[in-house]
Amino acid sequence: MTDGRPVAGVPLDTEAIRKDFPILDRTVHDGKRLVYLDNAASSQKPRQVLDAMSDYYERHHANVHRGVHVLAEEATALYEGARDKVARFVNAPSRDEVIFTKNASESINLVANMLGLADEPYRVDSGTEIVITEMEHHSNIVPWQLLAQRTGAKLKWFGLTDEGRLDLSRIDEVITERTKIVSFVLVSNVLGTLNPVEAIVRRAQEVGALVLIDASQAAPHMPLDVQSLQADFVAFTGHKMCGPTGIGVLWGRQELLEDLPPFLGGGEMIETVTMSASTYAPAPHKFEAGTPPIAQAVGLGAAVDYLTSIGMERIAEHEHALTRYALERLAEVPGLVIVGPTSPEDRGATLSFTLGDIHPHDVGQVLDEQGIAVRVGHHCARPVCLRYGIPATTRASFYLYSTTAEVDALVDGLEYVRGFFG
Ligand SMILES: Cc1ncc(COP(=O)(O)O)c(C=O)c1O
């Protein structure tokens, strides 16, 4: 760092970073050092986030907004301050474009429901089309299936190439004049693929369709700029980016948020209420019914401060180098086949693989016995497994505190697995 600002190109001091994460000191299974490679499912939390949350509860907790006492004002300032931090983190033009939700799933469900309830030109109904991709997390499939079933709209999707990339060869037939919304993942949570935003957004804009980007696997790992993405909505989730569970974000373009109707009703989201009708608060509060996740927002704000102090560019560089190393090392394991791009270009630090005919659940269990935490299964993206004709994969996913020594431990662990079942 110079002048207190992180500089791209300066490698991360992972040893120092790891000291911020108390859980990484843990041992499991009779003293085995924990090798945590399940970051795509959820990241660990630094002391700075844990402290911010306990300080909030120990000294400032009260319900937010409209309170006249000191604690209510402090809690409101902390909650709304977290919104400012998140807005800066994603380069949002306005803090009012940042809606706090429970998680990315709720953010996507919110958009799907808004579009089902909206007036023209945004309304999704029969005769219109919704476009997703075959590499989506269930959170970006099921809300659209529900909307399609409810409205009669048609659900379409981009398929995948054998290399684990989106097949955009028929983009003009998939995204058409009837398309109302295109919703796709920026980085796949199974394949690791980083998708080509520009081509998809350009085509969507040509036909006047809205675009939602699921940035759940991107926001924790690389600089995220909602303005340069040029989407209409961006969703992500706090617990994968050093923040707590129970908080997610939906960023939306201001004029859209002004036009679109609320989905959930309750306290906090109204302007006035009579027994026969209500008027609504402006965005973002229009979309935040009920007592919000206050402590969780405070934690997310602290997480964003933490990541920013290290530098998202540097985190991305670190993970890129680690991914390159992991791809090389995993290629040495006989019978291991990567499911997803095999070169480090345009991909994130999530590596899924199969290992001969050893079932991923067995791989995961034997790795766990050695203290190595990976995830096995379909990773809530079952269509990806169906596409590649496999029941499940083993997935190792890295983060800013991951090291080459942990990659080596994984490779050694996999050799042990092979021996165990060999
Ligand atoms: C790409 C992607 N989208 C959405 C989600 C859903 O996140 P959450 O469960 O926090 O709503 C995940 C979580 O694994 C994900 O990886």
PDB file of all heavy atoms in Angstrom, residues 40-41 103-106 108 137 139 185 187-189 214 216-217 237 239-240, ligand 1:
ATOM      1  N   ALA A  40     -16.868 -20.510  -2.351  1.00  0.00           N
ATOM      2  CA  ALA A  40     -17.985 -20.186  -3.249  1.00  0.00           C
ATOM      3  C   ALA A  40     -19.312 -20.380  -2.526  1.00  0.00           C
ATOM      4  O   ALA A  40     -20.314 -19.756  -2.866  1.00  0.00           O
ATOM      5  CB  ALA A  40     -17.928 -21.047  -4.505  1.00  0.00           C
ATOM      6  N   ALA A  41     -19.321 -21.263  -1.520  1.00  0.00           N
ATOM      7  CA  ALA A  41     -20.556 -21.455  -0.746  1.00  0.00           C
ATOM      8  C   ALA A  41     -20.703 -20.347   0.279  1.00  0.00           C
ATOM      9  O   ALA A  41     -21.776 -19.748   0.421  1.00  0.00           O
ATOM     10  CB  ALA A  41     -20.551 -22.819  -0.060  1.00  0.00           C
ATOM     11  N   ASN A 103     -30.630 -11.845   0.929  1.00  0.00           N
ATOM     12  CA  ASN A 103     -29.544 -12.553   0.218  1.00  0.00           C
ATOM     13  C   ASN A 103     -29.748 -12.328  -1.287  1.00  0.00           C
ATOM     14  O   ASN A 103     -30.708 -11.663  -1.692  1.00  0.00           O
ATOM     15  CB  ASN A 103     -29.544 -14.056   0.561  1.00  0.00           C
ATOM     16  CG  ASN A 103     -30.932 -14.676   0.458  1.00  0.00           C
ATOM     17  OD1 ASN A 103     -31.716 -14.277  -0.392  1.00  0.00           O
ATOM     18  ND2 ASN A 103     -31.238 -15.632   1.306  1.00  0.00           N
ATOM     19  N   ALA A 104     -28.884 -12.908  -2.086  1.00  0.00           N
ATOM     20  CA  ALA A 104     -29.018 -12.724  -3.536  1.00  0.00           C
ATOM     21  C   ALA A 104     -30.317 -13.338  -4.041  1.00  0.00           C
ATOM     22  O   ALA A 104     -30.960 -12.812  -4.958  1.00  0.00           O
ATOM     23  CB  ALA A 104     -27.830 -13.353  -4.255  1.00  0.00           C
ATOM     24  N   SER A 105     -30.704 -14.459  -3.450  1.00  0.00           N
ATOM     25  CA  SER A 105     -31.951 -15.114  -3.878  1.00  0.00           C
ATOM     26  C   SER A 105     -33.123 -14.154  -3.730  1.00  0.00           C
ATOM     27  O   SER A 105     -33.957 -14.030  -4.635  1.00  0.00           O
ATOM     28  CB  SER A 105     -32.224 -16.365  -3.036  1.00  0.00           C
ATOM     29  OG  SER A 105     -31.121 -17.228  -3.077  1.00  0.00           O
ATOM     30  N   GLU A 106     -33.179 -13.464  -2.582  1.00  0.00           N
ATOM     31  CA  GLU A 106     -34.294 -12.535  -2.392  1.00  0.00           C
ATOM     32  C   GLU A 106     -34.198 -11.366  -3.370  1.00  0.00           C
ATOM     33  O   GLU A 106     -35.216 -10.883  -3.877  1.00  0.00           O
ATOM     34  CB  GLU A 106     -34.310 -12.010  -0.951  1.00  0.00           C
ATOM     35  CG  GLU A 106     -35.547 -11.175  -0.673  1.00  0.00           C
ATOM     36  CD  GLU A 106     -35.604 -10.679   0.763  1.00  0.00           C
ATOM     37  OE1 GLU A 106     -35.829 -11.499   1.665  1.00  0.00           O
ATOM     38  OE2 GLU A 106     -35.410  -9.475   0.976  1.00  0.00           O
ATOM     39  N   ILE A 108     -33.122 -11.428  -6.421  1.00  0.00           N
ATOM     40  CA  ILE A 108     -33.604 -11.857  -7.742  1.00  0.00           C
ATOM     41  C   ILE A 108     -35.117 -12.075  -7.698  1.00  0.00           C
ATOM     42  O   ILE A 108     -35.844 -11.667  -8.613  1.00  0.00           O
ATOM     43  CB  ILE A 108     -32.843 -13.120  -8.203  1.00  0.00           C
ATOM     44  CG1 ILE A 108     -31.347 -12.801  -8.354  1.00  0.00           C
ATOM     45  CG2 ILE A 108     -33.413 -13.643  -9.534  1.00  0.00           C
ATOM     46  CD1 ILE A 108     -30.444 -14.017  -8.536  1.00  0.00           C
ATOM     47  N   HIS A 137     -27.303 -20.482 -11.069  1.00  0.00           N
ATOM     48  CA  HIS A 137     -27.646 -21.027  -9.752  1.00  0.00           C
ATOM     49  C   HIS A 137     -29.177 -21.142  -9.700  1.00  0.00           C
ATOM     50  O   HIS A 137     -29.887 -20.369 -10.342  1.00  0.00           O
ATOM     51  CB  HIS A 137     -27.155 -20.020  -8.704  1.00  0.00           C
ATOM     52  CG  HIS A 137     -27.244 -20.482  -7.283  1.00  0.00           C
ATOM     53  ND1 HIS A 137     -28.413 -20.460  -6.571  1.00  0.00           N
ATOM     54  CD2 HIS A 137     -26.305 -20.966  -6.440  1.00  0.00           C
ATOM     55  CE1 HIS A 137     -28.179 -20.910  -5.338  1.00  0.00           C
ATOM     56  NE2 HIS A 137     -26.908 -21.224  -5.237  1.00  0.00           N
ATOM     57  N   SER A 139     -31.099 -20.064  -7.745  1.00  0.00           N
ATOM     58  CA  SER A 139     -31.658 -18.757  -7.359  1.00  0.00           C
ATOM     59  C   SER A 139     -31.957 -17.875  -8.559  1.00  0.00           C
ATOM     60  O   SER A 139     -32.708 -16.905  -8.440  1.00  0.00           O
ATOM     61  CB  SER A 139     -30.661 -17.996  -6.483  1.00  0.00           C
ATOM     62  OG  SER A 139     -30.483 -18.652  -5.282  1.00  0.00           O
ATOM     63  N   VAL A 185     -25.638 -14.950 -14.876  1.00  0.00           N
ATOM     64  CA  VAL A 185     -24.614 -14.918 -13.841  1.00  0.00           C
ATOM     65  C   VAL A 185     -23.323 -14.332 -14.408  1.00  0.00           C
ATOM     66  O   VAL A 185     -22.951 -14.615 -15.553  1.00  0.00           O
ATOM     67  CB  VAL A 185     -24.424 -16.350 -13.292  1.00  0.00           C
ATOM     68  CG1 VAL A 185     -23.694 -17.256 -14.277  1.00  0.00           C
ATOM     69  CG2 VAL A 185     -23.717 -16.362 -11.948  1.00  0.00           C
ATOM     70  N   VAL A 187     -20.187 -14.644 -12.860  1.00  0.00           N
ATOM     71  CA  VAL A 187     -19.204 -15.738 -12.706  1.00  0.00           C
ATOM     72  C   VAL A 187     -19.954 -16.964 -12.194  1.00  0.00           C
ATOM     73  O   VAL A 187     -20.637 -16.886 -11.166  1.00  0.00           O
ATOM     74  CB  VAL A 187     -18.094 -15.356 -11.703  1.00  0.00           C
ATOM     75  CG1 VAL A 187     -17.137 -16.529 -11.500  1.00  0.00           C
ATOM     76  CG2 VAL A 187     -17.328 -14.129 -12.168  1.00  0.00           C
ATOM     77  N   SER A 188     -19.820 -18.072 -12.907  1.00  0.00           N
ATOM     78  CA  SER A 188     -20.553 -19.292 -12.528  1.00  0.00           C
ATOM     79  C   SER A 188     -20.009 -19.889 -11.234  1.00  0.00           C
ATOM     80  O   SER A 188     -18.797 -19.989 -11.051  1.00  0.00           O
ATOM     81  CB  SER A 188     -20.431 -20.328 -13.649  1.00  0.00           C
ATOM     82  OG  SER A 188     -20.686 -21.625 -13.133  1.00  0.00           O
ATOM     83  N   ASN A 189     -20.938 -20.325 -10.382  1.00  0.00           N
ATOM     84  CA  ASN A 189     -20.511 -20.907  -9.100  1.00  0.00           C
ATOM     85  C   ASN A 189     -20.084 -22.364  -9.241  1.00  0.00           C
ATOM     86  O   ASN A 189     -19.605 -22.953  -8.281  1.00  0.00           O
ATOM     87  CB  ASN A 189     -21.626 -20.798  -8.059  1.00  0.00           C
ATOM     88  CG  ASN A 189     -22.803 -21.692  -8.373  1.00  0.00           C
ATOM     89  OD1 ASN A 189     -23.292 -21.692  -9.495  1.00  0.00           O
ATOM     90  ND2 ASN A 189     -23.259 -22.463  -7.408  1.00  0.00           N
ATOM     91  N   ASP A 214     -26.390 -11.492 -11.993  1.00  0.00           N
ATOM     92  CA  ASP A 214     -26.173 -12.138 -10.705  1.00  0.00           C
ATOM     93  C   ASP A 214     -24.667 -12.116 -10.436  1.00  0.00           C
ATOM     94  O   ASP A 214     -23.906 -12.894 -11.008  1.00  0.00           O
ATOM     95  CB  ASP A 214     -26.706 -13.579 -10.750  1.00  0.00           C
ATOM     96  CG  ASP A 214     -26.399 -14.339  -9.473  1.00  0.00           C
ATOM     97  OD1 ASP A 214     -25.803 -13.742  -8.554  1.00  0.00           O
ATOM     98  OD2 ASP A 214     -26.749 -15.531  -9.404  1.00  0.00           O
ATOM     99  N   SER A 216     -23.156 -12.660  -7.555  1.00  0.00           N
ATOM    100  CA  SER A 216     -22.868 -13.285  -6.248  1.00  0.00           C
ATOM    101  C   SER A 216     -21.447 -13.831  -6.167  1.00  0.00           C
ATOM    102  O   SER A 216     -20.831 -13.811  -5.103  1.00  0.00           O
ATOM    103  CB  SER A 216     -23.844 -14.437  -5.993  1.00  0.00           C
ATOM    104  OG  SER A 216     -25.155 -13.969  -6.005  1.00  0.00           O
ATOM    105  N   GLN A 217     -20.932 -14.358  -7.296  1.00  0.00           N
ATOM    106  CA  GLN A 217     -19.578 -14.932  -7.296  1.00  0.00           C
ATOM    107  C   GLN A 217     -18.560 -13.949  -7.859  1.00  0.00           C
ATOM    108  O   GLN A 217     -17.403 -14.321  -8.080  1.00  0.00           O
ATOM    109  CB  GLN A 217     -19.546 -16.245  -8.099  1.00  0.00           C
ATOM    110  CG  GLN A 217     -20.418 -17.338  -7.541  1.00  0.00           C
ATOM    111  CD  GLN A 217     -19.890 -17.931  -6.230  1.00  0.00           C
ATOM    112  OE1 GLN A 217     -18.752 -17.698  -5.834  1.00  0.00           O
ATOM    113  NE2 GLN A 217     -20.729 -18.688  -5.542  1.00  0.00           N
ATOM    114  N   THR A 237     -24.654 -11.139  -2.639  1.00  0.00           N
ATOM    115  CA  THR A 237     -25.009 -11.647  -1.318  1.00  0.00           C
ATOM    116  C   THR A 237     -23.850 -11.423  -0.351  1.00  0.00           C
ATOM    117  O   THR A 237     -22.682 -11.595  -0.731  1.00  0.00           O
ATOM    118  CB  THR A 237     -25.401 -13.145  -1.481  1.00  0.00           C
ATOM    119  OG1 THR A 237     -26.162 -13.569  -0.374  1.00  0.00           O
ATOM    120  CG2 THR A 237     -24.218 -14.065  -1.704  1.00  0.00           C
ATOM    121  N   HIS A 239     -22.729 -12.838   2.554  1.00  0.00           N
ATOM    122  CA  HIS A 239     -21.942 -13.846   3.264  1.00  0.00           C
ATOM    123  C   HIS A 239     -20.809 -14.435   2.431  1.00  0.00           C
ATOM    124  O   HIS A 239     -19.946 -15.118   2.961  1.00  0.00           O
ATOM    125  CB  HIS A 239     -22.859 -14.970   3.767  1.00  0.00           C
ATOM    126  CG  HIS A 239     -23.501 -15.774   2.687  1.00  0.00           C
ATOM    127  ND1 HIS A 239     -22.961 -16.952   2.245  1.00  0.00           N
ATOM    128  CD2 HIS A 239     -24.615 -15.568   1.943  1.00  0.00           C
ATOM    129  CE1 HIS A 239     -23.747 -17.437   1.286  1.00  0.00           C
ATOM    130  NE2 HIS A 239     -24.751 -16.614   1.083  1.00  0.00           N
ATOM    131  N   LYS A 240     -20.814 -14.200   1.121  1.00  0.00           N
ATOM    132  CA  LYS A 240     -19.707 -14.716   0.287  1.00  0.00           C
ATOM    133  C   LYS A 240     -18.569 -13.707   0.193  1.00  0.00           C
ATOM    134  O   LYS A 240     -17.550 -13.974  -0.427  1.00  0.00           O
ATOM    135  CB  LYS A 240     -20.213 -15.037  -1.125  1.00  0.00           C
ATOM    136  CG  LYS A 240     -21.225 -16.183  -1.173  1.00  0.00           C
ATOM    137  CD  LYS A 240     -21.568 -16.523  -2.595  1.00  0.00           C
ATOM    138  CE  LYS A 240     -22.877 -17.273  -2.741  1.00  0.00           C
ATOM    139  NZ  LYS A 240     -22.839 -18.653  -2.271  1.00  0.00           N
TER     140      LYS A 240
HETATM  141  C1  LIG B   1     -24.076 -17.541  -8.569  1.00  0.00           C
HETATM  142  C2  LIG B   1     -24.934 -17.548  -7.361  1.00  0.00           C
HETATM  143  N1  LIG B   1     -26.107 -16.916  -7.374  1.00  0.00           N
HETATM  144  C3  LIG B   1     -26.904 -16.873  -6.299  1.00  0.00           C
HETATM  145  C4  LIG B   1     -26.550 -17.495  -5.135  1.00  0.00           C
HETATM  146  C5  LIG B   1     -27.483 -17.464  -3.986  1.00  0.00           C
HETATM  147  O1  LIG B   1     -26.950 -16.795  -2.878  1.00  0.00           O
HETATM  148  P1  LIG B   1     -27.793 -16.800  -1.545  1.00  0.00           P
HETATM  149  O2  LIG B   1     -27.986 -18.243  -1.170  1.00  0.00           O
HETATM  150  O3  LIG B   1     -26.964 -16.057  -0.562  1.00  0.00           O
HETATM  151  O4  LIG B   1     -29.086 -16.152  -1.847  1.00  0.00           O
HETATM  152  C6  LIG B   1     -25.352 -18.204  -5.068  1.00  0.00           C
HETATM  153  C7  LIG B   1     -24.966 -18.940  -3.847  1.00  0.00           C
HETATM  154  O5  LIG B   1     -24.286 -19.946  -3.909  1.00  0.00           O
HETATM  155  C8  LIG B   1     -24.513 -18.209  -6.209  1.00  0.00           C
HETATM  156  O6  LIG B   1     -23.346 -18.862  -6.200  1.00  0.00           O
END
